[in-house]
Amino acid sequence: MVDDMLVVTTDAQAYKMILTETQGRVAIITLNRPKALNALCSELFHEINDALARFDNDSSIGAVVLTGSERAFAAGADIKEMKDTEFIGNYKNNFLAHWTEQLGRMRKPVVAAVNGYALGGGCELAMMCDIIYAGEKAVFGQPEINLGTIPGAGGTQRLTRAVGKSKAMEMILTGSVNLDAMEAKTYGLVSAVFPPELLVEEAIKTAKKIAAKGAVSVQMAKEAVNQAYELNLSSGLHFERRLFQATFATKDQKEGMDAFAGKRKPNFVHE
């Protein structure tokens, strides 16, 4: 049997600003604007959204890794693209909404592997993911105030929930206080820190562990955790309990508990 760690399939879909590949049940999306330090623009997000939607609807994929280069995950938004836009047009067209739409409705877990700069929109993009792993030289920040504006893709909301009000205020209001990788881990913004050269490999390992579990239970667990940010405790506990009860209608619950009782490894069928 061939270890799927050694089987890498490059996606045939042609993109200009991202690279996609698969390893077993894991899809990897790599931002690929090296000259712009992976600066985020509308075309890049359309490509990210397209790839995410395809993998979310692909039953052979169980989890996704999103990464950039060793120098920059994404150094911010493409300011040249947005600097001359006007309020009326931005409001009517709901500018930036498409930056968050697909990640916000992803059913499958997404692991961000962040090396180098994750500033402005890059920090916001990482925080849209379910798990963040950081390389030792990663830097997280929200410097939009230096450009006469504020974060617009979740920075004021997700960062505050991750690191607390005081630190979020300090980062956002000064535009110059950033978090290095270990600080980000201390504050709970990232789950783990690795040497830069091992980061993506470690993210893929975790994604493979997740993808090997029953897909229905994984999606339910993700949904329940995300609802913790939206519901009060009583409603959240009720929501969790109903999803827990619902797992007993799945084949994987039967298989998982039978395997545990029989002291064998479960063979999940993702149903």
Side-chain angles (χ1 to χ4, degrees), residues 1-269:
M1 182 175 179
V2 179
D3 186 342
D4 66 8
M5 281 291 289
L6 304 178
V7 179
V8 178
T9 303
T10 302
D11 199 317
Q13 180 74 31
Y15 293 112
K16 293 181 180 179
M17 297 186 176
I18 64 172
L19 303 173
T20 60
E21 62 184 77
T22 59
Q23 290 190 25
R25 286 180 49 78
V26 173
I28 302 105
I29 300 173
T30 304
L31 308 187
N32 189 36
R33 293 189 72 196
K35 292 182 179 180
L37 295 180
N38 291 329
L40 304 171
C41 61
S42 291
E43 184 177 0
L44 174 57
F45 261 101
H46 283 305
E47 292 190 0
I48 292 171
N49 288 341
D50 181 79
L52 287 170
R54 289 192 305 110
F55 291 135
D56 207 29
N57 291 317
D58 185 343
S59 61
S60 70
I61 298 298
V64 178
V65 171
L66 179 64
T67 191
S69 68
E70 193 165 313
R71 186 179 178 192
F73 176 72
D78 191 331
I79 303 305
K80 292 180 181 179
E81 179 185 71
M82 67 173 66
K83 71 182 183 66
D84 294 323
T85 62
E86 299 287 346
F87 166 71
I88 295 297
N90 289 342
Y91 183 77
K92 290 173 67 176
N93 298 322
N94 204 12
F95 182 47
L96 293 193
H98 71 292
W99 285 29
T100 64
E101 61 184 9
Q102 185 56 44
L103 272 166
R105 61 173 176 250
M106 281 289 288
R107 293 162 293 168
K108 295 172 183 176
V110 180
V111 181
V114 178
N115 264 322
Y117 297 113
L119 303 176
C123 186
E124 291 170 314
L125 177 60
M127 291 190 294
M128 293 177 209
C129 299
D130 300 302
I131 298 170
I132 305 176
Y133 282 175
E136 291 170 342
K137 297 180 181 180
V139 178
F140 298 85
Q142 300 287 167
E144 291 89 346
I145 202 76
N146 298 320
L147 303 177
T149 188
I150 69 171
T156 64
Q157 303 303 303
R158 292 188 177 94
L159 185 65
T160 303
R161 287 166 167 78
V163 304
K165 177 184 175 181
S166 182
K167 178 54 69 172
M169 283 287 193
E170 182 185 36
M171 293 174 67
I172 292 168
L173 297 183
T174 67
S176 60
V177 175
N178 299 325
L179 297 179
D180 64 28
M182 292 309 300
E183 288 173 325
K185 184 175 184 294
T186 299
Y187 276 98
L189 181 62
V190 308
S191 298
V193 177
F194 299 99
E197 67 275 12
L198 299 179
L199 174 67
V200 175
E201 178 185 339
E202 293 296 332
I204 292 172
K205 284 181 182 178
T206 294
K208 286 187 174 184
K209 288 180 182 178
I210 294 169
K213 311 302 181 185
V216 178
S217 294
V218 167
Q219 291 179 25
M220 285 183 174
K222 171 177 171 170
E223 185 178 3
V225 171
N226 282 335
Q227 283 300 309
Y229 285 99
E230 308 294 337
L231 302 175
N232 60 39
L233 180 58
S234 177
S235 298
L237 291 171
H238 179 79
F239 185 82
E240 175 192 73
R241 188 163 55 251
R242 287 292 179 262
L243 286 181
F244 164 73
Q245 292 163 353
T247 65
F248 284 76
T250 68
K251 294 179 181 179
D252 284 340
Q253 174 271 325
K254 299 296 185 291
E255 169 62 15
M257 292 191 177
D258 284 346
F260 180 83
K263 297 181 180 181
R264 60 177 176 82
K265 186 177 180 180
N267 181 26
F268 293 124
V269 297

